[in-house]
Amino acid sequence: MSGISERQALKIGVLISGGGSNLQAIIDAIRTDNLNIEIVKVISSRPDAYGLVRAQEAGIDTCSLNKELYANPALANELIASEFVRAEAEYIVMAGYMRKLGTEVLDVFPDRVINLHPALLPSFKGAHGIEDAFNAGVKLTGITIHFANAEYDKGPIIAQRAVAIEENDTLEMLTEKIHALEHELYPQVLRLLSEGKIAIDETRKVRIDG
Ligand code: GRF
């Protein structure tokens, strides 16, 4: 007996819409960096998302929204909530999920939905954060990981990292830099979450223990 009590893996459900490179970064961190997390289910807003293949290759249960569900956000959100409850997810992690989550999910997982945004919130909210920052000519942009709430891209911020936009950077180069940083920071934040070190205080600001 080691005497050290082992914490149970934190169960998360992951939402995706596309390539799933952030999902892959989480899967890899679980495998190789002892990230104490179990991905209990991956749900995609699109049936052709490559992230679904990544999940299936990792042996993770998946499902995706069909056309009818996609066209009915309230029903889609209800399905997402019930699937994640059924899979016993403790948190929902959005990894490139390109739709707004409604109260049907947020009320079932209050302060338990985390989102990744490819800009320094509150700047460049919305679906084109990288491009909007690039086109605005700002010299600094970055990434934000935050709790999601009913106001789009506005929940309490957990972590941010900055990326410089150099004069010769193209949009593609900036996109690559942003993605590399996302793949590094998301697993780090999830590690803190799995260790119970992330909390929202009475002023609705995030406090990170240690
Ligand atoms: C990421 O840049 C994320 O910030 C944005 O969509 C992208 C998803 O990429 N919301 P992937 O599907 O994880 O490869």
Side-chain angles (χ1 to χ4, degrees):
M1 232 174 76
S2 68
I4 299 167
S5 65
E6 286 225 346
R7 201 183 263 270
Q8 275 214 323
L10 183 76
K11 294 179 177 180
I12 65 167
V14 179
L15 283 171
I16 61 166
S17 293
S21 64
N22 282 286
L23 168 68
Q24 189 68 57
I26 300 167
I27 292 171
D28 293 346
I30 293 170
R31 278 195 189 137
T32 58
D33 293 330
N34 292 322
L35 179 60
N36 195 17
I37 282 202
E38 181 190 352
I39 303 174
V40 290
K41 184 150 207 142
V42 170
I43 302 180
S44 171
S45 59
R46 298 167 35 165
D48 60 347
Y50 182 64
L52 286 171
V53 177
R54 297 181 190 269
Q56 282 150 13
E57 278 174 359
I60 301 164
D61 196 22
T62 62
C63 83
S64 62
L65 305 180
N66 60 26
K67 260 193 189 160
E68 291 71 37
L69 276 171
Y70 192 90
N72 187 334
L75 257 191
N77 283 327
E78 273 170 30
L79 173 103
I80 289 167
S82 68
E83 285 290 325
F84 283 148
V85 166
R86 203 148 58 97
E88 298 183 359
E90 296 166 86
Y91 280 85
I92 298 177
V93 171
M94 298 161 88
Y97 186 68
M98 301 309 281
R99 302 190 87 195
K100 194 169 180 260
L101 268 194
T103 50
E104 301 85 357
V105 181
L106 296 167
D107 289 351
V108 178
F109 290 86
D111 291 335
R112 282 177 172 262
V113 181
I114 292 174
N115 185 39
L116 169 66
H117 184 75
L120 290 175
L121 292 175
S123 296
F124 306 114
K125 296 190 184 89
H128 308 285
I130 305 177
E131 203 176 335
D132 291 347
F134 184 81
N135 290 337
V138 294
K139 305 297 182 198
L140 210 59
T141 182
I143 63 172
T144 303
I145 294 169
H146 65 99
F147 284 101
N149 60 20
E151 286 181 275
Y152 201 47
D153 289 339
K154 253 194 138 177
I157 291 173
I158 302 169
Q160 293 185 301
R161 291 289 180 277
V163 172
I165 304 180
E166 310 291 348
E167 292 213 343
N168 295 326
D169 276 355
T170 60
L171 177 59
E172 290 67 36
M173 287 156 80
L174 176 62
T175 302
E176 248 177 62
K177 286 200 257 184
I178 293 274
H179 284 161
L181 208 55
E182 289 178 339
H183 301 161
E184 201 181 301
L185 188 63
Y186 222 179
Q188 282 176 21
V189 165
L190 292 178
R191 183 180 303 278
L192 292 170
L193 194 72
S194 71
E195 293 168 348
K197 290 184 173 163
I198 297 180
I200 301 175
D201 74 11
E202 57 292 348
T203 67
R204 300 292 298 159
K205 287 201 183 84
V206 171
R207 302 283 163 213
I208 298 181
D209 177 16

